[in-house]
Amino acid sequence: MSLFWRIFVLNAFGLVVAAALLLGPVTVSTPILPGEVLVVVAGLAALLTVNAVVLRVGLAPLGRLGRAMADADLLHPGVRAVVSGPVETAELITTYNAMLDRLEAERAASAAGALSAQERERHRIARELHDEVGQTLTAVLLQLKRVADRAPADLREELGQAQEATRAGLDEIRRIARRLRPGVLDELGLLSALRSLAAEFTTHGLTVRHDLRTGLPPLTEETELVLYRVAQEALTNTARHSGADRAELRVRPIADGVELLVRDNGSGLGTAADAGAGIRGMRERALLIGATLTLSSTPDGSGGGPRGTDVRLRATASADRPDVAAPGGHR
């Protein structure tokens, strides 16, 4: 029954009963007698109480819907309001849930397009850095060497410093190009790319241990790229913000796919679990492939030490793509 008819029937019933009583055994005298006052007040109180109960029960689903709308977050999909209450309220909640379905589908599609465009742009910039700027600096380095070979002795030291600065710039450009588009991911597979990533962060002051299990189930190119990018972003956050000196990078097969874990011994998440653009980007990448991303702070294994951060991504394997082994049995 709709909320309108519930309230209408209740009020009609109360008025009919009151009219029947007034036309029957109950009368109102002038002046009003104390007993009559008691009957009228009791009847009014009963009618108001029942009205209040009906309204409270009928409007409770709207309150739950309001809380669900306030807590809705498209980065945490799948949460829906429970359909209950009168017809109008149930229809409103059903419409809201359908709207969330559309919004999540549209967000997933737009995120896929944006991330795909981002990867294409990264690929283009990496190629131009490697092919254009890298070759230019290589030519400058060769030219400096030729000049240094013919230069007077008092200028060779300065030319050597210029060579070292150019070589350092060339190495930095190559490192940036690798981070923008890891060629090893395309050439040797996911595990080799993750080993290279761990080694890269280890050389920048963070000790990264890796446990990369072989025998992973078949994964699409998009899934491998998301796993790599999430690991890269998690290690970047660890190096920049956590104050950690140790980190672990693990990949292992699970029942329906693969699990990636990045763990550090830093200061933990604190109140910034969803504040950073990096974490938001990881969540959007996880949504792109239907994976589950969880972030948590955990005590250090030694007990009583600093709190670390776990970044865990669980992705479903693809049955559409055969497994391709990299050299040495690794993907």
Side-chain angles (χ1 to χ4, degrees):
M1 184 182 294
S2 69
L3 185 60
F4 168 79
W5 284 110
R6 289 187 186 188
I7 297 175
F8 178 80
V9 169
L10 174 64
N11 288 328
F13 176 77
L15 292 174
V16 168
V17 170
L21 290 175
L22 289 174
L23 294 175
V26 177
T27 59
V28 178
S29 304
T30 305
I32 302 176
L33 298 177
E36 295 172 345
V37 172
L38 181 61
V39 171
V40 171
V41 171
L44 179 61
L47 186 60
L48 292 176
T49 301
V50 176
N51 268 280
V53 170
V54 170
L55 288 174
R56 174 69 67 181
V57 173
L59 297 178
L62 289 178
R64 291 194 294 269
L65 176 61
R67 291 190 293 273
M69 294 173 71
D71 296 337
D73 185 355
L74 295 181
L75 290 179
H76 298 81
V79 180
R80 297 291 181 269
V82 178
V83 179
S84 61
V87 176
E88 300 94 330
T89 306
E91 289 179 352
L92 179 61
I93 297 175
T94 302
T95 303
Y96 169 73
N97 288 340
M99 180 190 70
L100 275 186
D101 291 338
R102 291 195 303 272
L103 287 177
E104 288 180 1
E106 290 171 3
R107 182 182 180 88
S110 62
L115 292 175
S116 177
Q118 183 185 74
E119 288 299 330
R120 288 196 300 270
E121 187 67 9
R122 283 172 177 254
H123 197 183
R124 183 188 66 80
I125 294 174
R127 185 175 62 249
E128 290 185 0
L129 283 175
H130 184 273
D131 295 345
E132 303 295 333
V133 182
Q135 290 183 5
T136 300
L137 286 179
T138 301
V140 171
L141 195 60
L142 294 174
Q143 185 67 25
L144 285 172
K145 184 179 184 306
R146 286 195 294 269
V147 172
D149 291 340
R150 298 194 300 268
D154 57 341
L155 293 179
R156 288 180 182 174
E157 182 177 356
E158 294 183 10
L159 288 172
Q161 293 176 355
Q163 284 179 288
E164 289 303 319
T166 305
R167 188 176 291 110
L170 182 59
D171 291 341
E172 182 67 14
I173 285 177
R174 287 172 176 168
R175 185 186 68 82
I176 293 173
R178 284 196 303 271
R179 295 199 67 188
L180 285 172
R181 183 65 184 182
V184 66
L185 180 62
D186 297 327
E187 297 166 4
L188 300 180
L190 176 64
L191 297 185
S192 296
L194 291 176
R195 277 194 295 271
S196 175
L197 184 67
E200 177 184 342
F201 278 91
T202 298
T203 59
H204 284 76
L206 181 69
T207 302
V208 181
R209 295 172 48 200
H210 59 78
D211 180 12
L212 308 176
R213 308 285 179 89
T214 58
L216 296 181
L219 301 173
T220 64
E221 292 181 1
E222 292 79 7
T223 301
E224 289 188 347
L225 184 58
V226 168
L227 288 166
Y228 180 85
R229 290 299 186 201
V230 169
Q232 184 182 52
E233 185 61 40
L235 289 174
T236 299
N237 288 343
T238 295
R240 290 180 179 176
H241 308 300
S242 72
D245 58 2
R246 298 192 310 276
E248 292 182 73
L249 175 60
R250 300 181 188 176
V251 173
R252 65 185 181 93
I254 56 177
D256 57 347
V258 62
E259 179 184 77
L260 166 74
L261 173 65
V262 180
R263 171 176 292 167
D264 64 56
N265 67 337
S267 57
L269 289 171
T271 58
D274 291 309
I279 293 178
R280 179 171 290 271
M282 285 192 288
R283 291 196 184 281
E284 291 193 349
R285 288 183 182 278
L287 289 178
L288 179 62
I289 59 171
T292 303
L293 179 74
T294 57
L295 296 92
S296 60
S297 294
T298 55
D300 188 87
S302 59
R307 298 183 66 84
T309 302
D310 281 6
V311 178
R312 194 182 304 269
L313 180 74
R314 292 192 170 191
T316 304
S318 170
D320 301 327
R321 177 170 169 259
D323 194 11
V324 180
H330 300 298
R331 277 186 46 75

